[in-house]
Amino acid sequence: MSEALTFHFDVDGADFTSAGQASVQVKKNLRLLGISPDIIRRVSIAMYEGEINMVIHAGGGEADVTVTEEEIVISLRDHGPGIKDIDQAMQEGFSTASDRIRTLGFGAGMGLPNMKRYTDHMEIRSELGKGTDITMRVNLK
Amino acid sequence: MTVRELVEKAPFKAAVLPDPDREITGVYIGDLLSWVMGRASGGDAWITIMSNVNIVAVASLADTACVIEAEGVTPDEEILATASAKGVNILLAEGGAYETAIALSKLL
């Protein structure tokens, strides 16, 4: 694997029940590339949390996963409302999800913390009314 | 113990068993999906009462050995078909999470 491989996904914001398709596909692709199960688990969970966030809060978005010899980079972009206070959003238990989302088992305020927990580096850029970009990196070496 | 052996020995019914030889190495109980993804370990039997389609993605991504639906909860056919296609084992238990965990504790 000498060149970078990129997988692109459009995340459908209209269908909450299909959320996770991109993450499950990434899991399959990484397995085919011979990435270790622990890394696959971390990458796919971090990506799923991001995917769910885009569906819940932003009406969907886009995701790119780039694999190089050194690292796996997950980039998420949406044009949703943006995050008002990133430090607050990063706290376990803080959530602005609706009751409907909570009845589905989400909205526990663990999404962003899990994304940070499972990746080696996470950067959030968000502007109110414009959207949110998140980049997560998982080291392979 | 494999998931197949668990079904044979415990009072659980197999709803779908696409990966019966999967080894169970622990147990996690929870209904909040992000908690499960944050705290469950790969190879855990995951006891829950959640039965919407998102449990299939969570079980697959968290790499649990099986989902055990407690309290007699039964996911609908569409969810079972998705689980089957994604290689996610789903078992059904009549008891609550506590009784289900005790049954597992005696066998694991």
Side-chain angles (χ1 to χ4, degrees), chain A residues 41-56:
Chain A
R41 187 172 184 275
R42 289 169 54 204
V43 168
S44 52
I45 288 176
M47 177 154 174
Y48 183 59
E49 292 284 14
E51 216 184 322
I52 290 290
N53 277 348
M54 289 197 286
V55 174
I56 292 175

Side-chain angles (χ1 to χ4, degrees), chain A residues 16-17 19 23-24 27 41 44-45 48-49 92 103-106 108 110-111 114 117-118, chain B residues 31-35 37-42 50 52-54 57-58 60-63 86:
Chain A
F16 191 78
T17 56
S23 321
V24 171
K27 185 184 168 187
R41 187 172 184 275
S44 52
I45 288 176
Y48 183 59
E49 292 284 14
E92 288 194 2
T103 61
L104 291 169
F106 291 106
M110 289 288 288
N114 271 353
R117 181 200 308 265
Y118 282 127
Chain B
D31 302 316
L32 294 176
L33 302 181
S34 289
W35 274 95
M37 286 190 286
R39 304 275 198 253
S41 302
M50 272 290 161
N52 64 65
V53 74
N54 303 106
V58 169
S60 172
L61 298 170
D63 203 25
K86 305 275 186 210

Side-chain angles (χ1 to χ4, degrees), chain A residues 1 9 27 37 45 52 67 73 96-97 99 101-102 113-114 141:
Chain A
M1 191 172 34
F9 302 93
K27 185 184 168 187
I45 288 176
I52 290 290
V67 185
V73 183
T96 56
D99 286 346
I101 296 299
R102 288 169 201 261
N114 271 353
K141 284 185 173 173

Side-chain angles (χ1 to χ4, degrees), chain A residues 90 111-117 119-124 134-137:
Chain A
M90 285 303 301
L112 288 172
N114 271 353
M115 288 156 72
K116 189 172 173 64
R117 181 200 308 265
T119 56
D120 294 305
H121 180 82
M122 178 163 98
E123 192 183 333
I124 304 177
I134 295 182
T135 305
M136 294 176 278
R137 295 171 185 275

Side-chain angles (χ1 to χ4, degrees), chain B residues 6-25:
Chain B
L6 177 66
V7 174
E8 286 164 2
K9 290 178 182 163
F12 308 147
K13 203 174 112 198
V16 284
L17 222 54
D19 187 9
D21 297 324
R22 183 68 198 270
E23 192 74 21
I24 301 170
T25 52

Side-chain angles (χ1 to χ4, degrees), chain A residues 5-114:
Chain A
L5 271 176
T6 298
F7 309 110
H8 177 81
F9 302 93
D10 290 313
V11 178
D12 182 359
D15 187 1
F16 191 78
T17 56
S18 72
Q21 282 180 353
S23 321
V24 171
Q25 188 59 47
V26 164
K27 185 184 168 187
K28 277 185 198 162
N29 294 356
L30 295 180
R31 193 180 283 162
L32 289 172
L33 290 172
I35 306 285
S36 77
D38 175 57
I39 299 274
I40 293 177
R41 187 172 184 275
R42 289 169 54 204
V43 168
S44 52
I45 288 176
M47 177 154 174
Y48 183 59
E49 292 284 14
E51 216 184 322
I52 290 290
N53 277 348
M54 289 197 286
V55 174
I56 292 175
H57 300 289
E62 287 176 72
D64 285 291
V65 178
T66 303
V67 185
T68 68
E69 283 195 34
E70 287 78 30
E71 61 180 0
I72 298 175
V73 183
I74 308 157
S75 305
L76 310 169
R77 290 173 305 285
D78 70 57
H79 301 290
I83 300 168
K84 195 173 169 187
D85 182 339
I86 292 175
D87 288 339
Q88 191 179 33
M90 285 303 301
Q91 288 171 19
E92 288 194 2
F94 178 82
S95 176
T96 56
S98 67
D99 286 346
R100 186 183 74 87
I101 296 299
R102 288 169 201 261
T103 61
L104 291 169
F106 291 106
M110 289 288 288
L112 288 172
N114 271 353

Side-chain angles (χ1 to χ4, degrees), chain A residues 41 45 118, chain B residues 1-3 6 12 17 19 21-30 33 35-48 55-56 58-69 87-91 100-101 104 108:
Chain A
R41 187 172 184 275
I45 288 176
Y118 282 127
Chain B
M1 170 180 282
T2 66
V3 179
L6 177 66
F12 308 147
L17 222 54
D19 187 9
D21 297 324
R22 183 68 198 270
E23 192 74 21
I24 301 170
T25 52
V27 179
Y28 187 83
I29 305 174
L33 302 181
W35 274 95
V36 176
M37 286 190 286
R39 304 275 198 253
S41 302
D44 279 355
W46 168 29
I47 302 170
T48 184
I55 64 166
V56 177
V58 169
S60 172
L61 298 170
D63 203 25
T64 59
C66 62
V67 180
I68 305 178
E69 296 281 357
V88 171
N89 297 315
I90 297 186
L91 313 185
T100 304
L104 278 165
L108 293 180

